Each structure stands twice: as structure tokens, then as C-alpha cells.
Amino acid sequence: MIRKILLSVLYVTIAANAASMMGLEALGKPTESASAMTLGRGYAGGAKTGSGITPWNPAGLAFEESTSFNATMTFEENVASSKDDSYASSTLEIPSLSFIFAMHDFGTLALSLSEKYTSNLDEEVEDSTQTNLANIKYKGNVYELTPSYAVRLPFLRRVSLGFSAHFVMGSVSRKLTLGGDNSQVAKADAWATNNSEITETAEGSWEIKNHPAYYTGAIHYKGSRASYYFSYTTAYTLKNELEYNLKFSETDTLVPTKLSREIDVPPTLATGFAYRFKKRHNILIDFMLRGWDADICNIGGSWNLEDSTDTQTEFMAALGYERSGSTDYFKKYVQRMDFRLGIWYRNYYISDVTEYGAGVGTGFPLGRRSTKLDVAIQGGVRKSDNDSIWDEKFVGIAIGLTGVGNWGNKPKKVH
Amino acid sequence: MKKFKFLIFAVLPMLLLASCIFDSEGDSLVSWLDSQGFPSNYLVQTVEIDDLELSSYKVGFDSTPRLQYYQGVVGAVNGMEHDWVLDFGFRDKSFFAKYSADSAEPYRSAFIALYPDSGFYSQAGYKKDSLPIKETITFKFSWIIDKGKGSSFVDSIGDIKDSIWTASLRGIWDKAKSADTTYKLKISALDSALRIDLPSAFYKDLAKVTEAARVQLRISAPESKRLYRFFGPSADVVPFLRVKAYTQTTVVDGDTTTKDVYKNIWAFRSAIISSYQNECSDCTVLHGGVLESLLVEIPRERILNALSDFYGDEFPYTKGDSNDVRQTVVLAQLKMGRSSSKEGSELGFPVQVTAASFVDSNGVDIESSESYKLNRELIQKEGHPNLVFMEGDTLGIQLTDGMRSFINRAGKGAKMRFVLRLGYSMLAPYDTLYYDHVNDDGDSVTIFMDYSTFSRYDFSDYISRPVSLKLWLATKRGDDE
């Protein structure tokens, strides 16, 4: 069954080659590296333990009971539109891979590779009025390798502390190929532009300026019904060293121009609340705030492009529900399944861009252990008052696989 | 369970189907690109700089002998003399024993056999009715004979690298022996060899060899009326020395017959040594076929000022790493006056003027051949603009790569310099296809001759006058700049 689902998704995404068209010149679309479980709850559930790695709460990991692995793949279809024009694109991504090593009294170690921002567009267009070709290609990701450690306090066992270090990596590129526009050239001089396609490229890598990583610290309280957390993530400066080229062919030997842009990412505050009732039902609320105060320098500039992207205070408010499945293998399959739903509202880091959406998700237990396949479907709208940012509608599916291992588990009691 | 399986398999295809239903049009993406500020093509504009006086122009000649494996040239043409040096190495103890022992010295003889390069003569348009080529010619032979022993001696000659050999040919001729030979040259058929007797002093020197010898033989004809082309050591028929080893006498039934026994020695490599005969020192003259070039510099201020006037921006660009990527050069063409005379064209054909410029390669200037873009409309009417010995009064030289590199690095003090050389003879100056092909009439069209042409073009009257420069520029400036 899993194979069939995966194959179906892969088959449809063969032709897919573009993600959201927002923020391509800046950082790209924020993905929050959410797993399929989190996406099913509409980004809520940071305070609910047993959900693996959640975007802003490393302290919750201290309550993990088993060693597990999680991989999530998302497929998103996106339609950007402005007045009578609309443009559909789609993307396939793997926003997060994570390992959790539960060590019980000694705390929990975790390692995740997650995607924070993505920009992906590859299109060739023919301008019917000019019969010239334009090819545009954005490819970029900001990835983080994040080791985390969380431990329950020795005396206040309901309280845990968690820390993460985020090592940033990734690359970004913009490649634009254009034909010549001879409208300002005398007819007798037009021959000079024959077969002269110009290619502009800017490509480079991401790192944190003057520091190996940025950090998150969190505190979590897990009550018998109510749980909550609070986290603080340090500010950091993202550095993007770029090589810029404008050339007609690969034999042009001009030295690439070196460009460097620095993006001051402000600190992030996040908090969340989870309330459990009737044993397996949970109400989940999360809130994240990041107060951008500086504009973001764009990747290549030039032509009529803006030199920078305006920012705004970024936040996300999410409300979710989850009915957790029973861990008793002998219960009915439906009772062992998870059901999730949630809604969210957020401000992007890009000025004037807001997003609201909803997600539903299900967790399918596989086998006797807690191995699980999570599927989430989410859809929503991104809106902007800015004419150059087209409104977008999106619908996506996320599939996550959680594998649970024996390593570090307590021996089972023999009755 | 079944319900949920149904849910998954119903929802998934619906979702995927929905993804296919979304409408997407190419025009929409163009519209999106436009709303972002992206162009769908780059704007080309032209800037013309007239009355441009060149900062400097100077001819440089490299007299280093040039290795020539396939063709040798001997003679003088267009104010230059071209000598051919052949390198021989051989070992034959019995031959030298008999050759040296032959007491009848006057009976010794040796000649060199040279085959006219029929491929060249046929491409140059020499037909049967152009033959025979006749001339009473004085050949000057110079030779250096090194003696040695054993096969290792012969091997050591072959081991000398070509570049070391050609470099050594500059200074060795002072100690060489030489002698003149008058020869009545007559080429009646292109497939038969010329047999030119070598001077007796050469045999004497050769007789001193006992086992193995290296012979470097230089053939000159400074007074000749034309330049002769022969097949070289790597051609199908190679130049060779034919030396009479001895005369064999046999008596059969009282009849005495004599037979000369020869040894053939093939040249294994060759080089051309070129030198000026009487070139005027104040002239700006380029010769073809040799290592000669005309280095020209365009005043950078004129170019930068013209760009500054056109764009209203500051030139040179010195911000950041000073690389100016605000625009780039699509094409640059320099125009100067041209003589329409065919005087100086060795074979009567137009000759291409090739350009190379200094472009940046990873921070270092390298000389790079310029690309050449075809203006087909012009070529059909007036022929290729980069030819001399051609009708018309304007020579057009494309300097695109050099100009692109210059403007890009002007902020770092780059200069706009380029090099001109005489290239190959052009056989189809009005043909708009720039490669050999078969035309509509079924005839083969060869664009360039396959052989160097030893022409002479005098730039003096034209390069000192103002020239014009036209730039086609692709700008990245937006509408609001």
C-alpha cells in the first residue's frame, strides 16, 4: 500500500518543477521543516509530546519513549494568480529527516536535517510578441543540521529543558537566459544579435556569519491534562556568498563578480499549549513570533527587479486537534489510528504576505511496534496587497514515515 | 479498515487530478516575470565612437624558425625570404666505408629530390595550362654535418624535441659551410620531383663520416622571383637526399657495364626560417605566413566617456570588486580604411585579417582569438568585411570578446588592446556560409585555402587615420534608470 501511494505521488510529480513563487529573490518560501504529523494538525502541537521533532520545541523530546526515525515528503500544487492571469506549478520536497535516541533518565538526543526555506522554479517561456526565449531557473534551499538534547529535571519530572544547535547550510542559484530585443537597434545593425543568448547566473552558498550555528532553548511542562512550552531562538546573520556571471557562452572567461549579502534573522519566540481530554483527545494551540526589522537584500538585482525584499513581523498562530490512536495492538485498527486536523494563520517574513490554511491528517500504524505512516493534506491561501506578489492557492499532501527501533528501549516486562 | 483504504485511494487521486486541472499558460508566466521586473529578453543598444585615433600600433616579428612537417617553402616573396631547413639522421657503416674509399672523387654525386606540393598548387588555381613554371634560380645550400657512432647516436637526434631544435636553428648557421648552385628550375608536372644537385663541398664533408651522421641542410633562394612550395617530411612523398655510394662495374662475357649505386636518405623533420629582405622601418606592414602581428591599443578614455555619455552612469565602475556587469558587449566592430589594391597578395586572393584580443582568464590576461559573426547581408553585397586585397574602402574588425573583457575590468585599469595578423587566403569572399560546402549548383565551395599565404599588407596609410568603433550593448538597467 505504501509503495502504491509513493509511486502515485512520484509519478505525478515527474513534470513538477516549481514551488511557491513568493520570496524567490529573498530566502524563498518558509517551510518550517514540519513533519506530516505537524502538518496534519495545521502546524499546531508543539506542546504535545510523542510527536517526534516539532519545529520550535526541543524540550518536548525529553518525554520520547522510543528510538525512532522520521522522514517526511511533501507534494504541493500551487496556483499563483493576478487579475486574469494564473500560473500553476508544483513541487516535491523532503522537508525533514530526523533521528531520535531516547535515553530515558539520561534524556533524549536527536538529530535532524530540515529544510527551512526553499526556492524552486524552472520554466522556459516563449514571448509570443517577441518570439524570443526566456528561461528562468531558481534553485535554492536553506537546510539545517540540528542536534538537540532534552532532559527532564531530576526533581520536577514534569518539567524538561531542551536545547538545539542549528548548523545552517544550503545553496541558492538564479539562472536567467534571454534572447536579444532589437527594438532600439537600426535594422541594418540587427545581424549583430543573431544567436546571442545571454545567460545571467548568480549562485552561492549559505552559512551563518561569524558563528557555527544558532541556538534554541526551550522549557516544557507536561501535565496529566495540560502541557505547555516556551522557547527562545537566538538571532543570527545568514551570509550568502554569491558568484555572479553575465555571459554568452561557456567560453566567456570573465572572472565572476563576487557578491555577498547578509540577512539579519531576528530572534524567535514560540509557545504552545496542549490540553488532553477523554484520554486520547487533544486540543493544541501554538504561536510563533519573529520580529523582522531589516529588509532582505535580493539575490541578483538588476533589470527592473527590486534590490531588496521588504519584511514584516512574522508570526504564526495555529489551532489543532488530534485524536491519538491506541497503542494496544489488539484494539480495532480504527482505534489505533491517529486523526488530526488544524488551522493556521501566519504572516510571512515578506511584507504584506499572509497565509491561512487548514490541514487534516491521519496516522496509520504499521505492525506491532509504533511504526507509523502519517498522511496529511493541507490547503490554503497566500495573499498579498503588493501587485508584484501574486496571490497563491495551494493544496498539498505530506507523507511521513516513522520507524521505531529497539535500541535504548526498556526491556519488556514478562507477565 | 476498508473505508479508510477507500478514503486514501479516493482522496489521493482526486488531489492529484486537481493538480492537473489547474490551468497554466505560458503567457501567464511572462506576465508574472514582468510583474517581478524580469525582462523576457535583453535590450540591445548601439553606441558609436567616431574619429577615434588609436593610442598605439606596432608590428612585432618573431624570427624563431617554425616547424613545418607537411610543407616546405623556399624562395622570396613580398619583401621576405623564406629558407627551408631539413633534418636528416642516418647510420650505414658499409655505405660510408665505400663512399669514403672511392678514390675517384669527381665521380661522387648527391642531389636532393623535392616534390612540388601538388595540393597547394591545385588549390591556388595552377592548372595544366599554367605549367610549366620556369626560372633560372640560384640556390644557396648551407649544411652542418655531425658525426657519430652507433644506433644511440641516431636515436639521440630523434630525441631532440622539436621546440628545442627550432630554437637552436637561430644561431648555428655561422659555423655552417655553404655553397651556391645555379639551377634551371622547371616544373612541368606537379607529380614529378625536382632534382637539385648538391655542391661538391657537401660530398667532401660527407666523406669524413665513418658510421653515422646528422645532416642539417638549409635551402635558400633569396633571389627567386616567387616562393616555391614542396611536400614536407610528413607528407606522402617526402624530400630526400640521394647520394651515390659507389659505381659498380661488372664484366659479363667481356662486356663491361657500370652501375651507380645510390643511398636514399629521407628527411625526418623540417623548419622554415623567415627574414625581412628590405622592409621599411617606419611602415606598419603585416606579412602573412610568418609569426608577425600588429599590436594596437584603443584609448580607453574615449570608450569609457562614450559609455558614460550614453548611459549617464559613471565609467569605469569601481564599486565592489570593480567588475562592471551593468551591461555586456554583444558585438564590437572597429572600422578603418582599406586599400582595394591586390598588390602584396601572394596568390591574388583576398586575405583574412584575423584579430585576437587580451581577455581576462581568472585574473590573468590571455590572448584569445576573436569570434567572428557573419553580417550576411553585407557579405552578399560587399564580401566579408575583414579582408584585404579586396574591393571596397573599409576594413571591419570584430573585437567583441576583448571589448567585453575590457569594459568588465575597466575599473581595475584594463586596457583595450588587440592584435591583428594576416590569415589565410579566402577563396569564396561573397559566400555567406562560413564553412566548406556544396552549393546549389552542385559545386564544392572551399572558403579558405588550407595553406598559409605569404602576403604583405601595408596598414601605414590607414591605421594612422581616425577609425570608428561601434558597440552593440546588452544592458541590464531597468526602465527607471
Side-chain angles (χ1 to χ4, degrees):
Chain A
M1 184 175 80
I2 302 166
R3 214 172 69 173
K4 275 185 182 172
I5 294 169
L6 290 175
L7 283 175
S8 313
V9 173
L10 282 172
Y11 174 73
V12 172
T13 54
I14 284 169
N17 50 9
S20 167
M21 295 158 94
M22 289 181 179
L24 291 169
E25 282 285 305
L27 281 162
K29 186 193 82 166
T31 61
E32 306 302 345
S33 58
S35 66
M37 279 180 266
T38 307
L39 286 169
R41 304 186 294 231
Y43 292 103
K48 186 187 175 303
T49 56
S51 305
I53 289 184
T54 53
W56 304 295
N57 181 19
L61 290 169
F63 299 94
E64 288 290 330
E65 288 175 355
S66 23
T67 294
S68 63
F69 161 78
N70 177 272
T72 293
M73 183 173 70
T74 60
F75 169 76
E76 187 177 294
E77 183 73 27
N78 186 63
V79 182
S81 57
S82 171
K83 295 167 190 161
D84 295 335
D85 290 316
S86 68
Y87 180 74
S89 57
S90 51
T91 187
L92 180 70
E93 283 163 1
I94 299 176
S96 75
L97 290 171
S98 60
F99 295 91
I100 294 171
F101 304 96
M103 300 182 296
H104 310 287
D105 290 345
F106 297 101
T108 301
L109 270 176
L111 183 68
S112 70
L113 179 67
S114 53
E115 184 186 61
K116 288 289 172 186
Y117 298 95
T118 175
S119 50
N120 187 9
L121 179 73
D122 185 356
E123 284 297 327
E124 193 167 278
V125 289
E126 210 161 340
D127 183 343
S128 51
T129 57
Q130 300 279 352
T131 64
N132 280 331
L133 203 68
N135 183 303
I136 183 151
K137 196 174 192 175
Y138 279 97
K139 196 160 185 59
N141 297 95
V142 180
Y143 273 101
E144 289 179 0
L145 189 65
T146 312
S148 304
Y149 178 71
V151 66
R152 294 167 73 177
L153 296 182
F155 304 108
L156 293 165
R157 298 295 287 166
R158 288 175 181 276
V159 177
S160 68
L161 297 175
F163 303 94
S164 296
H166 306 261
F167 295 90
V168 174
M169 54 189 149
S171 63
V172 63
S173 71
R174 185 183 89 186
K175 187 174 179 182
L176 178 68
T177 303
L178 300 169
D181 166 10
N182 280 338
S183 59
Q184 291 189 22
V185 175
K187 202 181 166 196
D189 288 334
W191 61 275
T193 59
N194 289 342
N195 303 321
S196 290
E197 278 188 3
I198 202 167
T199 300
E200 183 204 45
T201 54
E203 52 193 354
S205 57
W206 293 104
E207 61 177 17
I208 295 181
K209 188 187 173 191
N210 298 334
H211 215 277
Y214 70 94
Y215 307 93
T216 300
I219 183 164
H220 184 104
Y221 170 80
K222 186 189 177 193
S224 56
R225 287 188 179 277
S227 301
Y228 40 88
Y229 76 94
F230 178 82
S231 78
Y232 176 83
T233 303
T234 57
Y236 58 100
T237 301
L238 266 180
K239 196 172 175 187
N240 186 200
E241 299 282 3
L242 288 161
E243 281 197 347
Y244 182 89
N245 254 317
L246 184 65
K247 58 187 182 180
F248 287 89
S249 78
E250 291 303 320
T251 59
D252 281 7
T253 57
L254 299 180
V255 177
T257 296
K258 305 275 185 196
L259 301 174
S260 179
R261 54 178 181 155
E262 291 178 3
I263 299 169
D264 292 325
V265 182
T268 307
L269 297 171
T271 186
F273 174 74
Y275 182 75
R276 187 166 65 89
F277 60 100
K278 289 189 179 172
K279 203 171 178 185
R280 288 190 281 130
H281 298 269
N282 300 273
I283 297 289
L284 313 158
I285 297 170
D286 281 69
F287 185 76
M288 179 276 282
L289 180 73
R290 192 181 286 147
W292 291 83
D293 54 8
D295 294 340
I296 294 174
C297 180
N298 284 347
I299 180 169
S302 72
W303 316 105
N304 280 327
L305 292 163
E306 297 289 341
D307 290 335
S308 61
T309 298
D310 295 341
T311 56
Q312 63 180 354
T313 297
E314 183 182 1
F315 74 85
M316 177 184 282
L319 174 67
Y321 161 81
E322 177 172 319
R323 195 217 72 174
S324 304
S326 168
T327 52
D328 186 347
Y329 180 70
F330 298 101
K331 291 256 168 119
K332 281 184 177 174
Y333 191 79
V334 175
Q335 288 180 344
R336 292 171 56 215
M337 288 171 67
D338 297 332
F339 294 97
R340 310 179 180 102
L341 56 94
I343 54 171
W344 72 91
Y345 179 81
R346 69 189 294 190
N347 259 7
Y348 267 33
Y349 68 92
I350 306 161
S351 182
D352 287 334
V353 177
T354 54
E355 176 185 289
Y356 48 88
V360 291
T362 314
F364 299 93
L366 303 171
R368 283 169 186 262
R369 285 187 195 152
S370 306
T371 302
K372 212 164 50 174
L373 178 78
D374 293 291
V375 178
I377 293 166
Q378 72 276 4
V381 177
R382 298 179 192 111
K383 280 192 167 296
S384 170
D385 296 334
N386 189 333
D387 287 344
S388 68
I389 302 176
W390 288 18
D391 292 347
E392 291 182 350
K393 297 183 186 76
F394 63 92
V395 58
I397 182 165
I399 295 171
L401 183 70
T402 306
V404 176
N406 276 331
W407 187 84
N409 283 357
K410 286 178 180 171
K412 285 180 181 172
K413 288 178 184 171
V414 179
H415 295 285
Chain B
M1 177 67 194
K2 277 182 183 173
K3 278 182 187 174
F4 291 101
K5 272 190 180 174
F6 170 79
L7 188 70
I8 289 303
F9 285 103
V11 169
L12 259 179
M14 276 170 66
L15 188 76
L16 301 176
L17 189 63
S19 72
C20 305
I21 292 168
F22 287 125
D23 183 33
S24 179
E25 292 170 22
D27 285 352
S28 298
L29 189 61
V30 173
S31 172
W32 180 81
L33 286 169
D34 191 45
S35 70
Q36 301 305 296
F38 276 115
S40 49
N41 40 48
Y42 63 86
L43 183 66
V44 185
Q45 294 160 306
T46 54
V47 174
E48 204 154 1
I49 307 165
D50 292 322
D51 293 328
L52 184 64
E53 287 189 14
L54 299 170
S55 307
S56 66
Y57 42 87
K58 193 177 178 187
V59 172
F61 172 57
D62 182 351
S63 60
T64 307
R66 308 179 308 283
L67 198 71
Q68 285 273 20
Y69 268 110
Y70 289 92
Q71 190 191 60
V73 297
V74 181
V77 69
N78 287 321
M80 291 201 86
E81 179 195 335
H82 307 280
D83 301 348
W84 193 16
V85 182
L86 295 163
D87 200 4
F88 302 87
F90 61 106
R91 176 181 173 233
D92 191 335
K93 211 168 178 175
S94 64
F95 158 73
F96 280 116
K98 285 174 182 165
Y99 182 67
S100 307
D102 195 331
S103 56
E105 205 172 281
Y107 293 108
R108 287 180 188 158
S109 75
F111 64 86
I112 185 154
L114 304 176
Y115 289 87
D117 186 340
S118 54
F120 164 79
Y121 284 103
S122 131
Q123 203 173 52
Y126 283 81
K127 294 175 186 155
K128 274 193 175 171
D129 51 5
S130 329
L131 299 175
I133 301 167
K134 283 183 182 176
E135 187 180 346
T136 301
I137 200 165
T138 302
F139 281 110
K140 179 185 177 186
F141 288 97
S142 310
W143 61 90
I144 295 166
I145 299 175
D146 298 315
K147 292 176 279 184
K149 285 189 176 171
S151 59
S152 61
F153 173 74
V154 181
D155 291 344
S156 71
I157 300 166
D159 289 343
I160 297 170
K161 290 198 183 317
D162 290 343
S163 56
I164 291 175
W165 180 61
T166 50
S168 76
L169 290 177
R170 273 173 184 272
I172 59 172
W173 299 104
D174 295 343
K175 61 177 182 180
K177 287 188 179 175
S178 64
D180 290 350
T181 299
T182 302
Y183 178 73
K184 285 196 173 175
L185 180 141
K186 183 180 178 186
I187 300 174
S188 311
L190 294 176
D191 55 357
S192 58
L194 300 185
R195 174 192 157 140
I196 310 170
D197 288 329
L198 292 165
S200 57
F202 177 78
Y203 326 146
K204 275 188 190 172
D205 282 355
L206 200 62
K208 292 172 190 166
V209 181
T210 53
E211 187 181 332
R214 180 194 188 186
V215 178
Q216 295 176 86
L217 183 68
R218 176 172 177 167
I219 311 167
S220 320
E223 307 297 328
S224 69
K225 291 178 189 162
R226 66 176 88 205
L227 192 65
Y228 293 92
R229 261 103 162 162
F230 302 104
F231 280 122
S234 293
D236 291 339
V237 279
V238 302
F240 64 95
L241 277 175
R242 192 160 161 83
V243 185
K244 191 168 89 176
Y246 55 93
T247 303
Q248 192 176 49
T249 306
T250 46
V251 180
V252 178
D253 300 334
D255 295 333
T256 305
T257 55
T258 57
K259 184 183 159 195
D260 292 340
V261 177
Y262 283 88
K263 177 166 180 64
N264 294 340
I265 307 149
W266 284 271
F268 70 95
R269 69 181 158 196
S270 72
I272 308 291
I273 301 176
S274 299
S275 54
Y276 291 133
Q277 284 186 312
N278 293 306
E279 197 50 81
C280 98
S281 56
D282 298 334
C283 301
T284 307
V285 169
L286 265 188
H287 295 88
V290 296
L291 301 174
E292 191 176 64
S293 51
L294 172 57
L295 177 65
V296 185
E297 185 174 338
I298 303 175
R300 57 179 255 135
E301 290 73 25
R302 286 293 312 275
I303 302 169
L304 297 174
N305 290 345
L307 291 171
S308 190
D309 292 345
F310 184 73
Y311 286 123
D313 292 337
E314 205 165 300
F315 282 85
Y317 182 79
T318 50
K319 289 179 190 164
D321 59 8
S322 299
N323 290 335
D324 191 351
V325 291
R326 296 171 295 179
Q327 66 286 305
T328 190
V329 178
V330 182
L331 193 129
Q333 184 170 255
L334 182 128
K335 283 184 178 175
M336 68 167 77
R338 172 173 80 183
S339 163
S340 57
S341 163
K342 292 216 167 190
E343 188 186 337
S345 170
E346 185 200 4
L347 305 165
F349 298 118
V351 173
Q352 187 194 31
V353 177
T354 62
S357 44
F358 296 91
V359 297
D360 180 72
S361 177
N362 204 18
V364 177
D365 265 359
I366 57 160
E367 193 189 314
S368 162
S369 292
E370 274 291 344
S371 44
Y372 174 59
K373 189 170 274 188
L374 303 178
N375 180 354
R376 292 203 157 86
E377 210 170 301
L378 179 82
I379 293 164
Q380 266 179 336
K381 278 189 215 158
E382 299 173 20
H384 286 272
N386 59 352
L387 301 176
V388 288
F389 315 119
M390 178 79 181
E391 287 176 6
D393 58 4
T394 310
L395 177 68
I397 306 287
Q398 291 181 17
L399 301 170
T400 309
D401 298 338
M403 193 62 68
R404 197 176 287 161
S405 183
F406 161 68
I407 295 175
N408 184 259
R409 297 178 308 122
K412 290 177 179 164
K415 293 175 177 176
M416 179 56 216
R417 294 181 304 150
F418 61 95
V419 162
L420 298 181
R421 295 190 181 89
L422 287 189
Y424 288 89
S425 292
M426 181 162 249
L427 303 177
Y430 295 94
D431 201 303
T432 54
L433 294 179
Y434 207 51
Y435 48 86
D436 296 349
H437 60 278
V438 176
N439 65 16
D440 295 341
D441 300 331
D443 298 328
S444 297
V445 178
T446 306
I447 302 295
F448 287 110
M449 267 193 89
D450 298 328
Y451 307 88
S452 298
T453 175
F454 293 81
S455 298
R456 174 187 185 276
Y457 182 76
D458 191 346
F459 282 87
S460 310
D461 289 345
Y462 306 99
I463 204 157
S464 55
R465 292 184 206 158
V467 299
S468 73
L469 179 67
K470 189 167 199 168
L471 308 179
W472 283 254
L473 296 156
T475 183
K476 283 175 52 194
R477 290 166 178 80
D479 298 337
D480 53 349
E481 287 186 56

